[in-house]
Amino acid sequence: MRTYNIGQLAKEIKLSIDALRYYEDLGLVKKPLRLPNGYRSYTHENKGDFLFIKWAKAMGFSLKEIKEM
């Protein structure tokens, strides 16, 4: 299974690292696995969650509405 660090994921889905952290802090996505060194390790499932948020925002949904979905 492929995993991503936060920089790799941000670059691949074209969102900022700050956006990924913000969405995580808001509880819009599940917390990623933390490696022993404290780094986040994202899965394909996490990637899909962020892509959904990106799509929903592009469709005009607010972050509150996205969280309710």
Side-chain angles (χ1 to χ4, degrees):
M1 172 167 58
R2 168 126 195 241
T3 60
Y4 309 84
N5 68 36
I6 196 166
Q8 292 168 327
L9 184 58
K11 183 176 180 180
E12 190 161 317
I13 63 175
K14 296 176 178 62
L15 286 172
S16 71
I17 290 171
D18 289 339
L20 299 184
R21 288 180 180 144
Y22 181 64
Y23 297 154
E24 183 183 326
D25 290 344
L26 289 178
L28 297 176
V29 296
K30 288 188 265 180
K31 297 277 185 186
L33 175 69
R34 289 284 186 151
L35 300 176
N37 60 9
Y39 290 2
R40 292 168 172 89
S41 179
Y42 295 94
T43 65
H44 188 69
E45 181 181 355
N46 297 124
K47 179 181 173 182
D49 293 342
F50 285 115
L51 287 172
F52 173 77
I53 293 166
K54 185 177 176 179
W55 171 84
K57 284 189 64 174
M59 294 292 108
F61 291 97
S62 70
L63 292 178
K64 182 182 178 193
E65 291 170 323
I66 294 168
K67 188 172 185 175
E68 291 172 357
M69 289 183 208

